Amino acid sequence: MNTQKIYFFSNLRFLRNRRKLTQEQVSVALGMHRIKYTNLENGKTKSPNMDELLKLSRFYRLSIDTLLQIDLSKIGELKLRELENGDDVYIKGGNIRVLAITVDPRNNENVEYVTIKGRAGYAAGGFADTEFLAELPKYSNPNLPKFGTYRTFPIEGDSMLPFPVNVDITGRFIADWTQIKPNTLAIVVIKGQDIVFKEIQVLEDGLLECSSFNKVYKPFTVPFEEISEIWEYHSYATTVIPEMPADLQIVLSRLEKIEEKIDHNNH
């Protein structure tokens, strides 16, 4: 399995030296203890927290993705200046996305529930706000896989029938959008707009196509730069009582069982 190389620590040293600053000057500018910053630059702090990443991103005017996975010493001064001037937007979908999470007292990740009232705030930027996330309801589901981060979103409307019109969808966070397979069911968080549950596939030119099961609703595309998060469908919960199957369905089901029994006896 390929492991993504991280250039974060060497980038910090490179950027500081490029500006001809000392570790003391940078730590003061960041409001950080010098020893803590030195440990960051030397790679002794393997997992910087969200606040530290955001401070460094703002100080060097570079995205967190760039600080993490681009070897800045190799891209040249002209490109660096372009990035610092606002051209640092990666829209190919392969960049690392840093996800804000909350944990329980045992340091296990919570499953946050984004309420109906909280959907607008989540799409508007709450997805990256640890204080916002701290206010969301949380729960533990022992049936979820141990690996991965999961979150639950309430979805309304009939665009994904036969899913019920009011349903809670639990999804697994997707960090690398280039790995999304065609016709994947997913929750898509569109920046400042909405949270939708759709069948998705990655198109060329950094676009994501979103389609509904209900063909009354036409497919639409969203540029990667307008998307903050994608969560692959895992399961759903609803208070809707399932309808009884039609008589024909019952007959067909019984016929299938008879055929299975015949096949079993023949073998």
Side-chain angles (χ1 to χ4, degrees):
M1 183 174 67
N2 294 329
T3 302
Q4 175 69 51
K5 189 168 183 179
I6 302 299
Y7 297 96
F8 178 68
F9 311 109
S10 60
N11 280 340
L12 292 185
R13 188 177 304 107
F14 169 78
L15 290 169
R16 178 177 60 78
N17 290 332
R18 175 173 170 264
R19 292 193 183 187
K20 299 180 180 179
L21 298 171
T22 65
Q23 291 182 339
E24 179 69 23
Q25 288 172 319
V26 174
S27 61
V28 169
L30 295 173
M32 186 183 299
H33 196 283
R34 186 186 64 78
I35 294 177
K36 188 172 187 179
Y37 175 79
T38 300
N39 287 336
L40 277 175
E41 193 171 286
N42 292 338
K44 293 182 179 179
T45 302
K46 296 299 182 182
S47 300
N49 62 43
M50 178 65 70
D51 184 58
E52 292 165 349
L53 288 171
L54 288 173
K55 283 182 178 179
L56 288 161
S57 173
R58 290 164 182 161
F59 180 76
Y60 286 117
R61 293 186 294 169
L62 296 169
S63 71
I64 293 173
D65 296 338
T66 296
L67 289 174
L68 289 172
Q69 72 168 22
I70 304 298
D71 187 353
L72 297 175
S73 65
K74 301 289 180 62
I75 68 174
E77 184 63 23
L78 181 61
K79 182 60 179 176
L80 264 173
R81 290 179 182 178
E82 290 177 353
L83 297 179
E84 290 174 333
N85 289 331
D87 192 29
D88 192 10
V89 180
Y90 285 83
I91 62 173
K92 298 302 181 183
N95 50 328
I96 296 173
R97 288 171 170 78
V98 179
L99 179 69
I101 63 170
T102 63
V103 295
D104 64 17
R106 295 184 178 181
N107 208 37
N108 297 314
E109 288 188 21
N110 293 313
V111 179
E112 288 88 12
Y113 179 81
V114 181
T115 62
I116 289 290
K117 290 183 178 180
R119 279 179 49 162
Y122 190 95
F127 55 84
D129 187 340
T130 53
E131 291 184 5
F132 179 91
L133 293 178
E135 297 299 320
L136 294 177
K138 301 164 188 63
Y139 67 97
S140 175
N141 185 344
N143 294 320
L144 290 174
K146 293 182 179 179
F147 300 102
T149 297
Y150 294 84
R151 196 157 288 168
T152 300
F153 302 83
I155 299 297
E156 299 176 308
D158 62 355
S159 67
M160 290 300 284
L161 292 172
F163 282 94
V165 294
N166 292 298
V167 63
D168 290 339
I169 302 292
T170 297
R172 179 186 63 84
F173 181 69
I174 301 177
D176 186 352
W177 300 347
T178 63
Q179 303 302 311
I180 295 174
K181 297 179 180 179
N183 305 318
T184 293
L185 285 179
I187 292 287
V188 181
V189 182
I190 305 174
K191 294 178 182 178
Q193 297 184 44
D194 200 4
I195 299 173
V196 298
F197 176 46
K198 297 295 176 184
E199 185 177 65
I200 64 173
Q201 60 180 335
V202 175
L203 305 179
E204 295 180 357
D205 301 323
L207 293 174
L208 188 76
E209 182 179 69
C210 301
S211 302
S212 302
F213 281 172
N214 186 344
K215 298 309 176 185
V216 171
Y217 298 87
K218 295 182 179 180
F220 60 91
T221 58
V222 186
F224 276 169
E225 62 263 32
E226 294 181 12
I227 300 171
S228 57
E229 294 176 352
I230 300 178
W231 300 77
E232 183 177 7
Y233 169 81
H234 175 270
S235 57
Y236 79 93
T238 180
T239 58
V240 176
I241 299 174
E243 295 182 3
M244 288 295 293
D247 291 342
L248 179 58
Q249 289 179 307
I250 295 175
V251 172
L252 290 174
S253 177
R254 289 178 178 175
L255 285 174
E256 287 177 357
K257 290 182 179 179
I258 292 172
E259 289 178 352
E260 289 175 1
K261 184 176 290 187
I262 293 173
D263 289 339
H264 178 75
N265 292 335
N266 287 338
H267 290 85

